[in-house]
Amino acid sequence: MAFSHYLAAVVNLLYPMHCSGCWKSLHNEDSKYLCNNCWHGIHYITGTRCPRCGMGLGDYALASREGCTECRTKNFRFDAAFSAVYYEDTVKELIHQFKYKRQEFLAEPLSEILIRYAKKTGLSQLDINLVVAVPLHRRKCAERGFNQAERLGRKIGRFLDTDICTGDLKRTRNTASQTSLPYYRREENVRGAFWAKRPAVFQDKNILLVDDVFTSGLTASECAGILKKAGARKVYVLTVAKSRRTMAGA
C-alpha cells in the first residue's frame, strides 16, 4: 500500500470524516467528531440539581441536603456528584462506541462535553487537588484495550491544571457490569472490589473521581469510601452522563 494510503488511514482514524452521532459527513462542518446539529442537540444538566446525586430538579425546584427522591435513602460516601448530560440519544451512542467498539478517539468529544459542563457550572471552584479515574480490573482493561475513565480523567485534569492518579486506586475483582444487575445486587457486586495501593497519595486531598456514566452511584460510593479511608478530605464524582432513573430496581 502506498504511503499516502497509510497517511489517509491514520487521518481518518484521528479525524473521522463522518459524525459519530448521526454519520453525517463532516466535510462542511466546523467541528470534528460531531456535526453541528449533534453538538447543538446536547443538553447539559444545569440549573437546580440534587446536591447528592446530581439529578436535575428543574428550574423552580428546591434542592434539599437530604437529596432527591431518587437518592435520599442511599448512604453515598462521596460528597457530591456531577454529570454533564443524561445518558441518552447522541451521548449514549458515543459512550457505547467509546467503551465497546474501541473508538478511543471519542475521548475527545466526550471530554469536550465535560469541559463545557465544567465551564458552565464553575466546577473548577471546588479546590480539587487530585483527579482519580475509576479503575478497571486488569482483565477487563486488557479486553477493552484502555480504561475509558482514565482517558476522560486525563483530559479534565489538564483542563483543571490538576494531577491525575491512575495507579493507586485498584480494582481487586473483575466485577460484573452494574447495568446488567438488578439494583439490590449492585451494592454486593462492588463491595470490597477496590483498594488503595498507596494510601498516602490521597491523604488530605480533595479528589475528583471521574467515570463515564453514573447509574446507581454505588461504584462511585465504594471508591469514595476507600479514598476517604485513605485520608481524602472530600470526594466529588464527575461523569459525562447520568441515567435518569439511577435507583431503578431492574
Side-chain angles (χ1 to χ4, degrees):
M1 182 183 292
F3 175 76
S4 60
H5 292 167
Y6 281 114
L7 181 61
V10 171
V11 170
N12 285 335
L13 176 64
L14 297 177
Y15 304 106
M17 301 177 69
H18 294 86
C19 172
S20 296
C22 68
W23 208 241
K24 175 184 176 182
S25 171
L26 291 176
H27 284 297
N28 298 317
E29 298 287 331
D30 298 328
S31 60
K32 299 178 293 185
Y33 310 112
L34 289 178
C35 68
N36 292 333
N37 284 339
C38 283
W39 272 120
H40 293 321
I42 295 173
H43 301 292
Y44 294 86
I45 302 175
T46 56
T48 305
R49 48 175 289 281
C50 174
R52 297 186 75 231
C53 74
M55 179 72 76
L57 301 178
D59 293 336
Y60 304 104
L62 296 176
S64 168
R65 290 183 179 180
E66 288 72 35
C68 65
T69 56
E70 288 284 304
C71 73
R72 65 180 51 172
T73 62
K74 308 305 172 185
N75 185 29
F76 290 148
R77 283 168 282 183
F78 48 78
D79 294 276
F82 303 84
S83 298
V85 299
Y86 288 113
Y87 186 56
E88 55 195 19
D89 302 328
T90 298
V91 173
K92 182 176 181 179
E93 178 61 24
L94 291 181
I95 290 175
H96 182 81
Q97 292 182 42
F98 181 43
K99 289 175 68 172
Y100 304 117
K101 303 295 183 181
R102 294 198 173 206
Q103 303 295 301
E104 291 187 57
F105 64 85
L106 292 179
E108 294 295 333
L110 291 171
S111 298
E112 180 63 24
I113 290 171
L114 283 179
I115 291 170
R116 292 185 184 190
Y117 174 75
K119 290 178 178 178
K120 288 175 181 289
T121 57
L123 194 66
S124 58
Q125 298 176 8
L126 288 178
D127 190 28
I128 301 299
N129 308 122
L130 187 67
V131 174
V132 177
V134 172
L136 284 179
H137 188 269
R138 62 182 182 278
R139 187 179 305 163
K140 186 169 291 184
C141 192
E143 292 172 356
R144 190 168 294 172
F146 63 100
N147 179 357
Q148 75 281 354
E150 181 180 326
R151 294 289 192 274
L152 299 172
R154 289 188 183 280
K155 301 288 186 180
I156 196 68
R158 282 197 287 270
F159 168 73
L160 296 173
D161 193 23
T162 304
D163 291 336
I164 178 170
C165 173
T166 60
D168 289 300
L169 180 65
K170 296 286 190 180
R171 188 183 292 251
T172 61
R173 290 188 285 108
N174 191 16
T175 55
S177 170
Q178 290 287 77
T179 57
S180 68
L181 299 173
Y183 182 79
Y184 68 88
R185 289 190 55 197
R186 292 178 184 178
E187 186 170 9
E188 178 184 356
N189 184 49
V190 295
R191 186 182 298 122
F194 302 93
W195 70 289
K197 181 180 179 180
R198 292 191 300 162
V201 171
F202 309 116
Q203 185 74 36
D204 295 325
K205 296 291 198 304
N206 291 334
I207 293 173
L208 187 66
L209 182 67
V210 177
D211 206 355
D212 54 348
V213 181
F214 186 108
T215 50
S216 66
L218 295 175
T219 298
S221 181
E222 187 70 18
C223 288
I226 296 299
L227 294 171
K228 288 193 170 183
K229 186 177 180 181
R233 286 197 303 266
K234 298 281 187 180
V235 178
Y236 303 102
V237 179
L238 175 65
T239 61
V240 177
K242 177 177 177 56
S243 170
R244 283 191 183 269
R245 293 191 63 197
T246 62
M247 307 306 164

